[in-house]
């Protein structure tokens, strides 16, 4: 049954690949577009922008999200900014440089053709957003301002205060609202996709649950786009919103869509540590804090509970400055994260004990306040300091901040070809839900760019091309596959409600998250992964025997919603560990302790692992089949990173 | 090290839109001062579930004060006692051992209760659909720096655009008016040159939709601004009122120019 992986990436000069590919595409006559129905699941940057653009073209679009309004998709939480190769600062930026930085940043595990297209489209995104009224930061002369972000050597990041994601999403949401008013898009908020409908091997619709009435329904269409975000919540604690889930992509995976590189997950070093075992999510603080804060822990574990102000200079270990004298506190995200874990594992962490370990390191502004004055620090980081104080109750001008890494982004996702189509014809994946552009590590300010590039500028073309070439028979609610998909969803819900056990979904989810975080988080090794691969199926079995859900399926039931999502995370979590075990090298965020350079950094193995791992569901969650898409690098020569 | 407290909660429970609903009393025990208000409710819900009862339904998603999903009236105040703070960002250190806390949903006829503390804010979406946008289809945009925007205008647009659409302004208003929400969107788009072509039509359509949704009228109580977690200024309401007057004049001029509508 295995499908041959065909990337459909064009060849020839990279600068013109997308142009030539577009020219070769089939088009749908404007007068005919209304006859095609397209389902877009998700209203984040990718889905919101995609649904709006397809509506503007005249397609008949159905748009779904689980929140009460499309405006609340998790893209809203992005703070930092969005990259674009505008070169407004005349500092040597170009499409080629953004392309180069992204391929290298991804540690040579992304497809060159896709990344180049992304870099090209970055420029159009900014134009589009400005035209919609996104209030980007400006200089006094009225032109757009930029800053440098995430270690880039050029200033290419556009931003709207600390609310860039919010403003970009509101732009897409307003465009979507305009299409809803125009009647081209029909919006279904508080509606959760529960399964994909596949007829004769082709995606033809989705089964949804109305989250207020509990009604299960089939929606049929000519194509389905999944833009449902990342799966970071498999770790339970992450910087994602509470509701972020993998159900849509996982259900598609079970229906035949290959899942690519699930083990490529990114950990962000500067988050506020968990305060207790009741913690429900983690909050990210901008990395810019590392510009003026110094990271340290006590040299001796015995000092960890002392007032930090009383710990003498000679008893402090500024470990990043010690280990990386030239980059110091500004080492890349993955290195800063791993080192924090190591010192806490040694018992030198600070802050409250959660599950018996103190997981926090100091980020101390004492010296910069002394050097620059409190006013200057307030001007630079006032908002972040206020947010920190609101959450922790501590004043970071007086007491050093405590930070700890947290799961933040998932580079892996549904495998897609250059046309963003999964291995199920007619099923597309966009935004964080696909695997395509960031390889083994995503650079700062590049996810917003990818979501909008996919939504505004790629989906409109690739869908037209698909619809113009596909020969689709008519399918209605009475079709056996449709009825079966609906019945399966109903049965699954009944099953979750009927277990009648003792444990809440949250207690299972915390346990699953702990297993994955400890064995497949910042550092991984074969022994730990093998252990996790025994424990996860056992936990999954307990879940199906001992879960407790009260209430009914015919009403708003948040416990049931959690249980359904968790059931899918229980399976995805296993695949994540399996992929991490199979990838016996280190690359980007995937750090296998067995494969480390002399300096302690990730050691890639290009000879054996320069490929995308695409997993096929075989009917047994524990026995997926691995397919490999070999990666070629014609324009950016693979090199080893060094930050010493 | 950290303080814990015991609280008595009086929580609005309502099974669905047609149910009458009423308060139920719960004990929230051993609550850490470092918990967020919603984490405190998570703990109460875990205990309800353990007892075989249905947990309290409430909305939340980002839990970092930006998505606008959360919101409840805490001791009579939308989003609770802290200024410029959403419910999800309120922490228990602002409460004391032994406190009685009353928790209710937003109360407004335009926001019907769906269950417990969850309300339907679809009316806000329909107001935006009526005209809260700039028409700029994908692909049609000119070069971004071709249109400089004075920094002061861009900053003012951003101040207004910070609205998270939570609905606390409506919940706080004695008339359940949505003026602050509408004014914020009108001011965001109206402050920018891109927003000018549709400016007058936009305010008329959004206000007409607001009225059609059954929101009350603004009688300048300014409770909205006090409750707003993003400190959206009532100055934007004054601007909206001026724009509405101007919109009528523009309409009249337009009709005269085109020979009148009849
Ligand atoms: C705290 C934080 C800060 C960030 N900062 C930055 C930054 O500064 N720059 C940057 O480039 N990136 C940043 N990122 C990453 C970036 O925000 C995301 O990767 C990106 O916004 C994802 O967009 P998306 O459209 O793919 O998905 P999302 O915005 O997550 O949208 C997913 C959509 O799918 C819907 N959905 C999901 N499951 C279902 C289902 N089963 N049924 C129905 N609907 C469903 C949801 O309702 C939602 O509408 C940040 C991420 C976080 C968490
Ligand atoms: S104006 Fe303020 S209170 Fe009203 S919806 Fe916007 S953010 Fe919420
Ligand atoms: S949950 Fe998003 S603002 Fe409170």
């Amino acid at each position: 049954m295995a499908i041959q992986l065909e990337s459909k990436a064009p060849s020839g000069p990279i600068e013109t690949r997308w142009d030539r590919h577009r020219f070769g595409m089939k088009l749908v006559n404007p007068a005919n577009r209304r006859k095609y129905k397209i389902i877009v699941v998700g209203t984040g940057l990718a889905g919101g922008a995609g649904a709006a653009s397809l509506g503007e073209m005249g397609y008949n679009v159905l748009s779904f999200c689980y929140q009460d309004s499309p405006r609340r998709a998790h893209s809203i939480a992005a703070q930092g900014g969005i990259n674009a190769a505008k070169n407004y600062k005349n500092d040597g930026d170009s499409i080629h440089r953004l392309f180069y930085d992204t391929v290298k940043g991804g540690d040579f595990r992304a497809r060159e053709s896709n990344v180049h297209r992304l870099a090209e489209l970055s420029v159009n995104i900014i134009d589009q957003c400005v035209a919609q009224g996104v209030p980007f930061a400006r200089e006094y002369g009225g032109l757009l301002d930029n800053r440098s972000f995430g270690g880039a050597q050029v200033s290419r990041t556009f931003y709207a205060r600390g609310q860039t994601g919010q403003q970009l999403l509101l732009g897409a949401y307003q465009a979507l609202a305009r299409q809803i008013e125009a009647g081209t898009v029909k919006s279904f908020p508080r509606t959760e996709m529960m399964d994909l409908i596949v007829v004769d091997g082709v995606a033809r619709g989705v089964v949804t649950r109305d989250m207020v009435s509990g009604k299960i329904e089939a929606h049929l269409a000519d194509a389905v786009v999944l833009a449902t975000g990342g799966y970071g919540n498999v770790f339970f604690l992450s910087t994602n919103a509470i509701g972020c889930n993998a159900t849509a992509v996982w259900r598609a995976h079970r229906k035949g869509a290959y899942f690519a590189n699930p083990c490529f997950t990114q950990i962000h070093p500067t988050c506020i540590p968990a305060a207790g075992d009741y913690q429900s999510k983690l909050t990210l603080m901008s990395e810019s804090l590392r510009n003026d804060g110094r990271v340290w822990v006590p040299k001796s574990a015995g000092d960890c509970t002392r007032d930090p102000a009383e710990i003498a200079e000679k008893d402090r270990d500024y470990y990043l400055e010690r280990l990386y004298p030239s980059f110091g506190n500004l080492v890349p995200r993955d290195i800063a994260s791993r080192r924090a874990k190591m010192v806490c594992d040694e018992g030198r962490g600070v802050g409250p004990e959660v599950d018996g370990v103190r997981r926090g390191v100091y980020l101390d502004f004492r010296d910069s306040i002394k050097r620059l004055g409190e006013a200057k620090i307030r001007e630079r980081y006032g908002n972040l300091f206020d947010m920190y104080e609101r959450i922790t109750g501590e004043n970071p001008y007086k007491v050093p901040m405590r930070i700890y890494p947290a799961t933040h982004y998932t580079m892996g996702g549904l495998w897609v070809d250059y046309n963003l189509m999964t291995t199920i014809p007619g099923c597309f994946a966009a935004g964080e839900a696909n695997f395509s552009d960031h390889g083994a590590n995503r650079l700062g300010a590049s996810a917003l760019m990818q979501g909008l590039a996919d939504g505004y500028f790629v989906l409109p073309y690739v869908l037209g091309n698909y619809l113009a070439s596909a020969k689709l028979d008519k399918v209605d609610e009475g079709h056996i596959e449709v009825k079966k998909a609906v019945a399966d969803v109903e049965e699954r819900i009944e099953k979750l409600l009927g277990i009648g056990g003792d444990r809440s979904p949250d207690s299972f989810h915390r346990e699953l998250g702990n297993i994955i975080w400890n064995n497949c988080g910042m550092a991984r090794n074969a022994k730990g992964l093998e252990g996790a691969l025994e424990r996860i199926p056992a936990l999954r079995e307990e879940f199906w025997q001992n879960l407790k859900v009260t209430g009914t399926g015919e009403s708003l039931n948040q416990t049931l919603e959690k249980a359904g999502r968790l059931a899918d995370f229980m399976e995805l979590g296993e695949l994540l560990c399996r992929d991490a075990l199979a990838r016996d090298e280190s690359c980007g965020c995937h750090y296998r302790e067995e494969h480390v350079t002399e300096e302690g950094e990730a050691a890639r193995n290009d000879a054996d692992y320069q490929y995308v791992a695409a997993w096929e569901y075989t009917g047994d969650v524990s026995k997926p089949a691995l397919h490999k898409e070999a990666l070629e690098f014609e324009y950016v020569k693979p090199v080893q990173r060094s930050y010493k | 090290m950290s303080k814990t407290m015991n609280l008595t909660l009086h929580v609005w429970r309502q099974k669905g839109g047609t149910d009458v609903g009423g308060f139920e009393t719960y004990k929230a025990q051993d609550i850490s001062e470092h918990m967020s208000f919603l984490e405190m409710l998570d703990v109460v819900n875990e205990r309800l579930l353990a007892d075989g009862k249905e947990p309290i339904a409430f909305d939340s998603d980002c839990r970092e004060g930006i998505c606008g999903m959360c919101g409840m009236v805490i001791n009579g105040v939308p989003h609770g006692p802290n200024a410029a703070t959403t419910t999800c960002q309120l922490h228990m250190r602002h409460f004391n051992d032994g406190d009685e806390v009353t928790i209710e949903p937003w109360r407004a006829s335009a926001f019907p209760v769906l269950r417990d503390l969850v309300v339907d804010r679809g009316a806000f979406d329909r107001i935006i659909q009526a005209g809260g946008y700039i028409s700029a289809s994908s692909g049609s945009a000119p070069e971004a720096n071709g249109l400089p925007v004075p920094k002061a205008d861009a900053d003012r647009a951003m101040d207004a655009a910070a609205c998270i659409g939570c609905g606390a302004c409506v919940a706080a208003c004695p008339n359940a008016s949505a003026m602050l929400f509408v004014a914020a969107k009108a001011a965001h788009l109206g402050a920018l040159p891109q927003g000018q072509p549709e400016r007058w039509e936009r305010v008329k359509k959004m206000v007409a939709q607001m009225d059609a949704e059954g929101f009350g009228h603004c009688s300048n109580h300014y409770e909205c601004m006090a409750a707003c977690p993003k400190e959206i200024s009532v100055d934007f309401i004054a601007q909206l009122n001026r724009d509405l007057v101007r919109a009528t004049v523009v309409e009249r001029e337009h009709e005269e120019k085109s020979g009148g509508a009849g």
Side-chain angles (χ1 to χ4, degrees), chain A residues 41 46 225-231 245-246 248-250 258-260 409-416 422 428-436 450-451 454:
Chain A
V41 189
V225 179
L226 303 180
T228 50
Y231 52 88
N245 69 92
V249 291
W250 192 254
Y258 290 5
F259 208 109
Y409 183 85
T410 54
M411 281 75 67
L414 291 183
W415 184 90
V416 288
T422 67
F428 295 76
E432 195 173 335
N434 74 27
F435 87 105
S436 80
Q450 185 220 335
D454 287 358

Side-chain angles (χ1 to χ4, degrees), chain A residues 74 77 230-245 265-268 271-272 274 279-284 404-410 432 509-510 513-514 517 569, chain B residues 39 61-64:
Chain A
H74 194 52
Y231 52 88
N233 276 353
V234 68
F235 291 88
F236 187 69
L237 288 182
S238 81
T239 61
N240 285 1
I242 298 286
C244 289
N245 69 92
T265 57
Q266 190 175 64
I267 314 286
H268 199 290
C271 299
I272 301 178
Q279 190 84 25
S280 61
K281 78 151 278 166
L282 296 169
T283 303
L284 172 82
Y404 198 67
T407 300
H408 174 59
Y409 183 85
T410 54
E432 195 173 335
H509 201 160
R510 274 180 209 281
N514 263 329
W517 178 242
F569 280 135
Chain B
E39 284 169 343
D61 205 27
C62 73
R63 295 205 176 186
E64 49 185 87

Side-chain angles (χ1 to χ4, degrees), chain A residues 41-48 64-67 70 72-83 149 164-165 169 191-194 227-230 239-241 243-248 281 284 408-409 430-433 442-449 451 565, chain B residues 64:
Chain A
V41 189
T43 59
L45 291 184
F64 297 87
C65 67
Y66 71 75
Q67 294 91 348
R72 308 200 201 283
H74 194 52
S75 293
I76 202 128
Q79 305 164 352
I82 177 166
N83 286 334
F149 196 76
T164 315
L169 185 65
T191 309
E192 183 154 0
M193 168 177 163
M194 307 298 287
T228 50
T239 61
N240 285 1
C244 289
N245 69 92
T247 289
K281 78 151 278 166
L284 172 82
H408 174 59
Y409 183 85
E432 195 173 335
R442 174 179 71 81
L443 295 181
S446 287
L448 301 180
M449 169 172 77
R565 294 168 190 164
Chain B
E64 49 185 87

Side-chain angles (χ1 to χ4, degrees), chain B residues 7-11 13 24-28 44 48 54 56:
Chain B
L7 308 165
T8 306
L9 311 181
H10 304 287
V11 184
R13 302 299 306 259
E24 299 254 351
T25 300
Y26 303 101
K27 295 264 174 245
V44 171
L48 284 173
E54 286 189 58
I56 303 158

Side-chain angles (χ1 to χ4, degrees), chain A residues 236 241-243 277-281 283 506 510 558 562, chain B residues 7 9 11 28 31-48 55-74 78-81 85-95 101 103-106 117-118 121 164:
Chain A
F236 187 69
I242 298 286
D277 53 13
Y278 49 79
Q279 190 84 25
S280 61
K281 78 151 278 166
T283 303
D506 279 358
R510 274 180 209 281
Q558 294 172 328
K562 284 184 190 172
Chain B
L7 308 165
L9 311 181
V11 184
I31 298 303
S32 156
E33 59 171 335
H34 295 306
M35 281 182 191
S36 71
F37 195 82
L38 298 184
E39 284 169 343
M40 181 273 290
L41 285 180
D42 289 343
V43 168
V44 171
N45 274 344
E46 282 288 289
R47 290 175 196 165
L48 284 173
I56 303 158
F58 63 89
D59 267 332
S60 76
D61 205 27
C62 73
R63 295 205 176 186
E64 49 185 87
I66 191 74
C67 75
M69 188 94 176
C70 68
M72 43 190 90
V73 179
I74 300 166
H79 288 308
T85 305
T86 53
T87 304
C88 60
Q89 290 283 281
L90 175 64
H91 279 69
M92 295 312 293
R93 64 184 71 90
H94 304 290
F95 293 83
V101 185
I103 309 173
E104 297 166 82
W106 288 169
L117 306 173
V118 177
R121 285 170 292 202
I164 58 173

Side-chain angles (χ1 to χ4, degrees), chain A residues 60-74:
Chain A
N60 185 349
V61 180
L62 307 183
S63 154
F64 297 87
C65 67
Y66 71 75
Q67 294 91 348
D68 72 329
S69 163
R71 67 180 287 153
R72 308 200 201 283
H74 194 52

